[in-house]
Amino acid sequence: MSLSRRSLLGALGAGAALTAAAESPVAASVSPRRAAAHTSGANPIELLQATRRVLIDNDNRFGPARVIPVVQQQIAAIKELRADRRGSDRRQLLQLQTQYAELCGWLYQDLGDFRAAQHWMHEALEASHMCGDSDLTTYILARRSQLAGDMRDAIEAVDVAEAAEDLAAPRSRLAAVAATYGAHGHALRKDAATTQRAYEHALELHANMDPDPGSPWGVWLDSAYIEVQRAHSLAVLGDHQGAAEGFHQAISRLPAGYHRDRGVYLARQAVALAGAREVEQAVVVGLQALSIGEETGSARISRELARLDESFDQWRTVPSVIEFKDAMTEAVLRQA
Protein backbone atom coordinates (compact mmCIF):
# COMPACT_ATOMS: atom_id res chain seq x y z
CA MET A 1 0.00 0.00 0.00
CA SER A 2 1.26 3.48 -0.83
CA LEU A 3 -0.05 4.99 2.40
CA SER A 4 1.86 4.50 5.64
CA ARG A 5 0.20 2.29 8.22
CA ARG A 6 -0.18 5.31 10.53
CA SER A 7 -2.04 7.24 7.81
CA LEU A 8 -4.20 4.24 7.02
CA LEU A 9 -5.22 3.60 10.60
CA GLY A 10 -5.79 7.29 11.15
CA ALA A 11 -8.83 6.85 8.92
CA LEU A 12 -10.41 4.25 11.22
CA GLY A 13 -13.80 5.55 12.22
CA ALA A 14 -13.79 8.38 9.69
CA GLY A 15 -15.08 6.17 6.87
CA ALA A 16 -17.86 4.78 8.98
CA ALA A 17 -18.72 8.25 10.20
CA LEU A 18 -19.02 9.69 6.69
CA THR A 19 -21.03 6.71 5.47
CA ALA A 20 -23.35 6.88 8.44
CA ALA A 21 -23.91 10.60 8.00
CA ALA A 22 -24.76 10.11 4.34
CA GLU A 23 -27.03 7.10 4.85
CA SER A 24 -28.71 8.00 8.13
CA PRO A 25 -32.44 7.42 7.66
CA VAL A 26 -33.18 9.74 10.57
CA ALA A 27 -31.18 12.60 9.10
CA ALA A 28 -32.86 12.17 5.73
CA SER A 29 -36.40 12.15 7.06
CA VAL A 30 -36.50 15.07 9.50
CA SER A 31 -36.67 18.73 8.53
CA PRO A 32 -36.30 21.58 11.05
CA ARG A 33 -39.92 22.71 10.74
CA ARG A 34 -41.25 19.16 10.81
CA ALA A 35 -39.13 18.34 13.89
CA ALA A 36 -40.55 21.29 15.77
CA ALA A 37 -44.04 21.12 14.34
CA HIS A 38 -46.97 21.22 16.67
CA THR A 39 -47.88 17.67 15.67
CA SER A 40 -51.02 16.09 17.11
CA GLY A 41 -51.28 18.85 19.71
CA ALA A 42 -47.77 18.25 21.07
CA ASN A 43 -46.02 21.15 22.75
CA PRO A 44 -42.98 21.92 20.52
CA ILE A 45 -40.75 22.59 23.54
CA GLU A 46 -41.67 19.25 25.09
CA LEU A 47 -41.13 17.58 21.72
CA LEU A 48 -37.65 19.10 21.42
CA GLN A 49 -36.81 18.00 24.96
CA ALA A 50 -37.94 14.45 24.25
CA THR A 51 -36.06 14.40 20.94
CA ARG A 52 -32.84 15.40 22.69
CA ARG A 53 -33.17 12.48 25.10
CA VAL A 54 -33.70 10.07 22.19
CA LEU A 55 -30.70 11.50 20.34
CA ILE A 56 -28.45 11.05 23.36
CA ASP A 57 -29.51 7.42 23.69
CA ASN A 58 -29.03 6.83 19.96
CA ASP A 59 -25.58 8.43 20.00
CA ASN A 60 -24.38 6.27 22.88
CA ARG A 61 -25.30 3.14 20.94
CA PHE A 62 -24.44 4.03 17.35
CA GLY A 63 -21.98 6.89 17.54
CA PRO A 64 -22.00 10.56 16.62
CA ALA A 65 -22.17 10.60 12.83
CA ARG A 66 -25.79 9.45 12.57
CA VAL A 67 -26.88 11.95 15.20
CA ILE A 68 -25.09 15.19 14.25
CA PRO A 69 -27.31 16.08 11.24
CA VAL A 70 -30.44 15.67 13.33
CA VAL A 71 -29.05 17.71 16.23
CA GLN A 72 -28.21 20.56 13.87
CA GLN A 73 -31.71 20.41 12.41
CA GLN A 74 -33.18 20.75 15.91
CA ILE A 75 -30.97 23.79 16.56
CA ALA A 76 -32.28 25.39 13.37
CA ALA A 77 -35.84 24.60 14.47
CA ILE A 78 -35.26 26.19 17.88
CA LYS A 79 -33.92 29.37 16.30
CA GLU A 80 -37.06 29.56 14.13
CA LEU A 81 -39.33 29.06 17.13
CA ARG A 82 -37.57 31.76 19.15
CA ALA A 83 -38.79 34.38 16.69
CA ASP A 84 -42.43 33.70 17.64
CA ARG A 85 -42.08 33.23 21.40
CA ARG A 86 -41.84 35.62 24.36
CA GLY A 87 -41.21 35.38 28.09
CA SER A 88 -40.68 31.98 29.68
CA ASP A 89 -41.13 30.12 26.39
CA ARG A 90 -38.29 32.04 24.79
CA ARG A 91 -36.06 31.40 27.83
CA GLN A 92 -36.85 27.68 27.66
CA LEU A 93 -35.96 27.70 23.97
CA LEU A 94 -32.64 29.40 24.73
CA GLN A 95 -31.95 26.74 27.35
CA LEU A 96 -32.75 24.06 24.78
CA GLN A 97 -30.53 25.75 22.19
CA THR A 98 -27.72 25.72 24.77
CA GLN A 99 -28.25 22.02 25.49
CA TYR A 100 -28.38 21.06 21.81
CA ALA A 101 -25.27 23.11 21.03
CA GLU A 102 -23.40 21.44 23.89
CA LEU A 103 -24.54 18.06 22.59
CA CYS A 104 -23.34 18.96 19.12
CA GLY A 105 -19.96 19.96 20.58
CA TRP A 106 -19.73 16.60 22.36
CA LEU A 107 -20.61 14.68 19.19
CA TYR A 108 -17.90 16.43 17.21
CA GLN A 109 -15.47 15.87 20.09
CA ASP A 110 -16.19 12.14 19.98
CA LEU A 111 -15.82 12.24 16.19
CA GLY A 112 -12.36 13.81 16.60
CA ASP A 113 -13.22 17.11 14.89
CA PHE A 114 -11.95 19.40 17.63
CA ARG A 115 -12.31 22.60 15.63
CA ALA A 116 -16.04 21.97 15.12
CA ALA A 117 -16.34 20.91 18.77
CA GLN A 118 -14.82 24.21 19.89
CA HIS A 119 -17.24 26.13 17.66
CA TRP A 120 -20.31 24.46 19.12
CA MET A 121 -19.06 24.74 22.69
CA HIS A 122 -18.61 28.49 22.09
CA GLU A 123 -22.19 28.61 20.74
CA ALA A 124 -23.41 26.78 23.84
CA LEU A 125 -21.57 29.09 26.23
CA GLU A 126 -22.97 32.18 24.51
CA ALA A 127 -26.53 30.84 24.60
CA SER A 128 -26.18 29.87 28.27
CA HIS A 129 -25.38 33.48 29.14
CA MET A 130 -28.41 34.69 27.17
CA CYS A 131 -30.79 32.37 29.03
CA GLY A 132 -29.24 33.26 32.39
CA ASP A 133 -28.76 29.67 33.58
CA SER A 134 -25.65 29.78 35.77
CA ASP A 135 -25.58 26.00 36.33
CA LEU A 136 -25.67 25.40 32.60
CA THR A 137 -22.87 27.94 32.08
CA THR A 138 -20.80 26.19 34.74
CA TYR A 139 -21.38 22.80 33.12
CA ILE A 140 -20.32 24.07 29.71
CA LEU A 141 -17.15 25.55 31.16
CA ALA A 142 -16.37 22.17 32.72
CA ARG A 143 -17.01 20.50 29.38
CA ARG A 144 -14.65 22.94 27.71
CA SER A 145 -11.99 21.75 30.15
CA GLN A 146 -12.69 18.17 29.10
CA LEU A 147 -12.37 19.16 25.44
CA ALA A 148 -9.08 20.93 26.14
CA GLY A 149 -7.86 17.73 27.80
CA ASP A 150 -8.70 15.70 24.70
CA MET A 151 -6.80 18.29 22.68
CA ARG A 152 -3.87 17.91 25.11
CA ASP A 153 -4.01 21.62 25.97
CA ALA A 154 -2.92 21.35 29.59
CA ILE A 155 -3.10 25.01 30.57
CA GLU A 156 -6.55 25.52 29.05
CA ALA A 157 -7.82 22.34 30.74
CA VAL A 158 -6.65 23.54 34.15
CA ASP A 159 -7.66 27.20 33.83
CA VAL A 160 -11.15 26.58 32.47
CA ALA A 161 -11.80 23.90 35.10
CA GLU A 162 -10.77 26.27 37.87
CA ALA A 163 -13.09 28.95 36.47
CA ALA A 164 -15.94 26.42 36.42
CA GLU A 165 -15.26 25.27 39.97
CA ASP A 166 -15.18 28.88 41.18
CA LEU A 167 -18.54 29.51 39.49
CA ALA A 168 -20.15 26.31 40.80
CA ALA A 169 -22.44 26.48 43.80
CA PRO A 170 -20.93 25.20 47.08
CA ARG A 171 -21.31 21.42 47.58
CA SER A 172 -22.59 21.03 44.03
CA ARG A 173 -21.96 18.12 41.70
CA LEU A 174 -20.71 20.59 39.09
CA ALA A 175 -17.78 21.56 41.31
CA ALA A 176 -16.70 17.91 41.38
CA VAL A 177 -17.14 17.61 37.60
CA ALA A 178 -14.91 20.63 37.02
CA ALA A 179 -12.27 19.41 39.49
CA THR A 180 -12.17 16.01 37.76
CA TYR A 181 -11.44 17.48 34.34
CA GLY A 182 -8.94 19.93 35.76
CA ALA A 183 -7.02 17.06 37.34
CA HIS A 184 -6.27 15.60 33.91
CA GLY A 185 -4.78 18.92 32.88
CA HIS A 186 -2.16 18.50 35.59
CA ALA A 187 -1.37 15.04 34.24
CA LEU A 188 -0.83 16.54 30.79
CA ARG A 189 1.70 18.87 32.45
CA LYS A 190 3.43 15.72 33.81
CA ASP A 191 2.88 16.87 37.38
CA ALA A 192 2.11 13.56 39.10
CA ALA A 193 1.87 14.89 42.66
CA THR A 194 -0.55 17.69 41.76
CA THR A 195 -2.57 15.28 39.63
CA GLN A 196 -3.10 12.92 42.55
CA ARG A 197 -4.01 15.80 44.89
CA ALA A 198 -6.47 17.09 42.32
CA TYR A 199 -8.23 13.72 42.02
CA GLU A 200 -8.41 13.40 45.80
CA HIS A 201 -9.94 16.88 45.85
CA ALA A 202 -12.52 15.82 43.25
CA LEU A 203 -13.40 12.71 45.27
CA GLU A 204 -13.75 14.83 48.41
CA LEU A 205 -16.06 17.25 46.62
CA HIS A 206 -18.13 14.30 45.40
CA ALA A 207 -18.31 12.73 48.86
CA ASN A 208 -19.54 16.01 50.38
CA MET A 209 -22.06 16.93 47.71
CA ASP A 210 -25.52 18.16 48.59
CA PRO A 211 -27.66 14.98 48.49
CA ASP A 212 -30.35 16.93 46.60
CA PRO A 213 -28.36 19.04 44.16
CA GLY A 214 -31.36 20.29 42.18
CA SER A 215 -29.31 20.55 38.96
CA PRO A 216 -29.61 17.97 36.14
CA TRP A 217 -26.05 18.53 34.93
CA GLY A 218 -23.36 15.96 35.47
CA VAL A 219 -25.72 13.40 37.00
CA TRP A 220 -23.49 10.65 35.58
CA LEU A 221 -20.62 11.70 37.85
CA ASP A 222 -19.86 9.18 40.58
CA SER A 223 -16.70 7.98 42.28
CA ALA A 224 -16.21 5.32 39.58
CA TYR A 225 -16.23 7.99 36.87
CA ILE A 226 -13.61 10.00 38.76
CA GLU A 227 -11.47 6.87 39.10
CA VAL A 228 -11.64 6.08 35.39
CA GLN A 229 -10.49 9.61 34.64
CA ARG A 230 -7.64 9.04 37.10
CA ALA A 231 -6.74 5.87 35.18
CA HIS A 232 -6.57 7.93 31.98
CA SER A 233 -4.25 10.37 33.73
CA LEU A 234 -2.07 7.55 35.11
CA ALA A 235 -1.55 6.37 31.54
CA VAL A 236 -0.45 9.87 30.53
CA LEU A 237 1.95 9.89 33.48
CA GLY A 238 3.44 6.52 32.44
CA ASP A 239 1.95 4.34 35.20
CA HIS A 240 0.68 1.74 32.74
CA GLN A 241 -0.04 -1.01 35.26
CA GLY A 242 -2.03 1.34 37.49
CA ALA A 243 -3.93 2.64 34.49
CA ALA A 244 -4.77 -0.87 33.25
CA GLU A 245 -6.11 -1.86 36.66
CA GLY A 246 -8.13 1.35 36.89
CA PHE A 247 -9.76 0.80 33.51
CA HIS A 248 -10.51 -2.83 34.36
CA GLN A 249 -12.34 -1.76 37.50
CA ALA A 250 -14.25 0.95 35.62
CA ILE A 251 -15.37 -1.41 32.86
CA SER A 252 -16.65 -3.94 35.40
CA ARG A 253 -18.85 -1.23 36.97
CA LEU A 254 -20.09 0.37 33.76
CA PRO A 255 -23.86 0.24 33.15
CA ALA A 256 -24.89 -1.98 30.23
CA GLY A 257 -26.15 0.92 28.10
CA TYR A 258 -22.81 2.71 27.95
CA HIS A 259 -21.73 0.95 24.77
CA ARG A 260 -19.36 3.52 23.29
CA ASP A 261 -17.79 4.44 26.62
CA ARG A 262 -17.07 0.75 27.15
CA GLY A 263 -15.20 0.80 23.84
CA VAL A 264 -13.19 3.87 24.86
CA TYR A 265 -12.20 2.34 28.19
CA LEU A 266 -11.35 -1.00 26.58
CA ALA A 267 -9.13 0.73 24.02
CA ARG A 268 -7.35 2.73 26.71
CA GLN A 269 -6.97 -0.38 28.87
CA ALA A 270 -5.40 -2.20 25.92
CA VAL A 271 -2.89 0.62 25.40
CA ALA A 272 -2.03 0.55 29.10
CA LEU A 273 -1.61 -3.24 29.03
CA ALA A 274 0.75 -2.94 26.08
CA GLY A 275 2.69 -0.30 27.99
CA ALA A 276 2.93 -2.77 30.88
CA ARG A 277 4.16 -5.38 28.34
CA GLU A 278 1.14 -7.65 28.87
CA VAL A 279 0.88 -8.26 25.14
CA GLU A 280 -1.55 -11.18 24.94
CA GLN A 281 -4.09 -9.51 27.20
CA ALA A 282 -3.66 -6.24 25.32
CA VAL A 283 -4.60 -8.04 22.09
CA VAL A 284 -7.71 -9.62 23.62
CA VAL A 285 -8.94 -6.29 25.00
CA GLY A 286 -7.94 -4.40 21.87
CA LEU A 287 -10.02 -6.66 19.64
CA GLN A 288 -13.06 -6.08 21.85
CA ALA A 289 -12.55 -2.33 21.54
CA LEU A 290 -12.12 -2.61 17.77
CA SER A 291 -15.52 -4.27 17.42
CA ILE A 292 -17.20 -1.39 19.27
CA GLY A 293 -15.15 1.17 17.36
CA GLU A 294 -16.41 -0.17 14.05
CA GLU A 295 -20.01 -0.02 15.26
CA THR A 296 -19.87 3.51 16.64
CA GLY A 297 -17.35 5.35 14.46
CA SER A 298 -15.94 6.95 17.63
CA ALA A 299 -12.64 8.72 17.01
CA ARG A 300 -11.86 8.44 20.71
CA ILE A 301 -11.73 4.67 20.24
CA SER A 302 -9.92 4.75 16.90
CA ARG A 303 -7.20 7.11 18.18
CA GLU A 304 -6.42 4.74 21.04
CA LEU A 305 -6.43 1.72 18.73
CA ALA A 306 -4.02 3.43 16.35
CA ARG A 307 -1.70 4.02 19.32
CA LEU A 308 -2.07 0.38 20.31
CA ASP A 309 -1.26 -0.77 16.79
CA GLU A 310 1.89 1.34 16.79
CA SER A 311 2.98 0.08 20.21
CA PHE A 312 2.65 -3.50 18.92
CA ASP A 313 5.37 -2.92 16.29
CA GLN A 314 8.00 -4.23 18.69
CA TRP A 315 6.11 -7.56 18.85
CA ARG A 316 5.11 -7.71 15.20
CA THR A 317 6.10 -11.39 14.84
CA VAL A 318 3.91 -12.57 17.72
CA PRO A 319 0.92 -14.47 16.24
CA SER A 320 -1.71 -12.67 18.33
CA VAL A 321 -0.25 -9.29 17.37
CA ILE A 322 -0.36 -10.28 13.71
CA GLU A 323 -4.02 -11.17 14.21
CA PHE A 324 -4.75 -7.77 15.73
CA LYS A 325 -2.92 -5.85 13.00
CA ASP A 326 -4.75 -7.79 10.30
CA ALA A 327 -8.09 -7.06 12.01
CA MET A 328 -7.24 -3.35 12.16
CA THR A 329 -6.37 -3.23 8.47
CA GLU A 330 -9.54 -5.11 7.52
CA ALA A 331 -11.63 -2.76 9.62
CA VAL A 332 -10.23 0.28 7.81
CA LEU A 333 -10.63 -1.29 4.38
CA ARG A 334 -14.27 -2.18 5.12
CA GLN A 335 -14.93 1.49 5.78
CA ALA A 336 -13.11 2.72 2.67
Side-chain angles (χ1 to χ4, degrees):
M1 287 178 282
S2 59
L3 290 174
S4 69
R5 185 167 181 83
R6 174 184 283 272
S7 299
L8 178 69
L9 296 181
L12 181 63
L18 293 173
T19 301
E23 297 179 352
S24 172
V26 179
S29 64
V30 182
S31 70
R33 287 192 178 277
R34 192 184 307 168
H38 196 165
T39 305
S40 302
N43 182 312
I45 293 176
E46 293 176 355
L47 180 60
L48 285 160
Q49 291 169 335
T51 300
R52 178 175 169 272
R53 290 192 292 271
V54 171
L55 290 170
I56 290 171
D57 291 342
N58 187 50
D59 157 60
N60 186 59
R61 183 72 179 113
F62 298 110
R66 293 183 182 274
V67 182
I68 286 173
V70 190
V71 170
Q72 291 178 343
Q73 288 170 345
Q74 306 313 299
I75 293 171
I78 291 167
K79 289 179 178 179
E80 289 180 6
L81 285 169
R82 279 173 52 201
D84 301 324
R85 297 296 193 276
R86 297 291 184 272
S88 62
D89 279 358
R90 177 175 272 180
R91 184 172 184 274
Q92 278 187 284
L93 286 167
L94 276 169
Q95 287 177 320
L96 273 169
Q97 184 175 325
T98 304
Q99 294 166 24
Y100 270 99
E102 184 276 326
L103 174 58
C104 199
W106 164 246
L107 294 169
Y108 274 114
Q109 183 176 342
D110 188 48
L111 201 58
D113 187 342
F114 294 142
R115 183 172 180 178
Q118 285 181 309
H119 166 78
W120 284 105
M121 292 305 293
H122 177 78
E123 290 271 324
L125 187 62
E126 185 177 77
S128 77
H129 285 298
M130 287 193 291
C131 71
D133 189 328
S134 60
D135 280 350
L136 193 47
T137 299
T138 302
Y139 178 69
I140 292 164
L141 283 173
R143 281 276 293 108
R144 285 185 61 178
S145 173
Q146 183 196 30
L147 174 59
D150 276 5
M151 297 175 69
R152 303 188 70 82
D153 186 340
I155 300 302
E156 183 79 2
V158 171
D159 287 349
V160 177
E162 289 180 352
E165 188 176 345
D166 288 344
L167 187 61
R171 300 185 64 203
S172 70
R173 186 183 301 272
L174 288 173
V177 172
T180 300
Y181 292 141
H184 188 63
H186 293 296
L188 291 170
R189 297 177 68 187
K190 303 299 182 181
D191 187 341
T194 303
T195 299
Q196 292 292 5
R197 287 196 298 270
Y199 277 112
E200 291 305 318
H201 172 61
L203 286 167
E204 182 179 3
L205 288 172
H206 177 265
N208 293 299
M209 285 188 322
D210 187 330
D212 183 21
S215 171
W217 307 114
V219 293
W220 34 260
L221 183 89
D222 56 17
S223 59
Y225 183 87
I226 296 172
E227 291 296 353
V228 79
Q229 299 306 311
R230 193 204 301 255
H232 186 32
S233 294
L234 288 176
V236 169
L237 291 167
D239 182 357
H240 302 297
Q241 191 63 52
E245 292 172 1
F247 285 123
H248 176 73
Q249 290 297 321
I251 292 164
S252 69
R253 298 168 64 182
L254 198 64
Y258 284 62
H259 186 60
R260 182 193 50 219
D261 285 348
R262 183 179 303 276
V264 173
Y265 300 159
L266 284 167
R268 289 176 177 171
Q269 182 191 11
V271 172
L273 286 165
R277 307 187 72 81
E278 297 185 23
V279 180
E280 297 297 332
Q281 187 62 23
V283 168
V284 171
V285 175
L287 288 171
Q288 294 174 24
L290 178 58
S291 176
I292 298 174
E294 284 194 90
E295 292 174 13
T296 63
S298 170
R300 290 190 300 154
I301 298 174
S302 62
R303 282 197 305 271
E304 298 295 341
L305 291 174
R307 288 180 58 209
L308 179 63
D309 180 84
E310 185 175 5
S311 74
F312 278 157
D313 285 348
Q314 60 189 304
W315 299 294
R316 61 170 57 88
T317 60
V318 174
S320 60
V321 169
I322 294 171
E323 178 188 357
F324 176 84
K325 285 181 170 289
D326 287 346
M328 284 282 286
T329 301
E330 290 171 7
V332 175
L333 294 177
R334 276 196 294 271
Q335 294 176 14

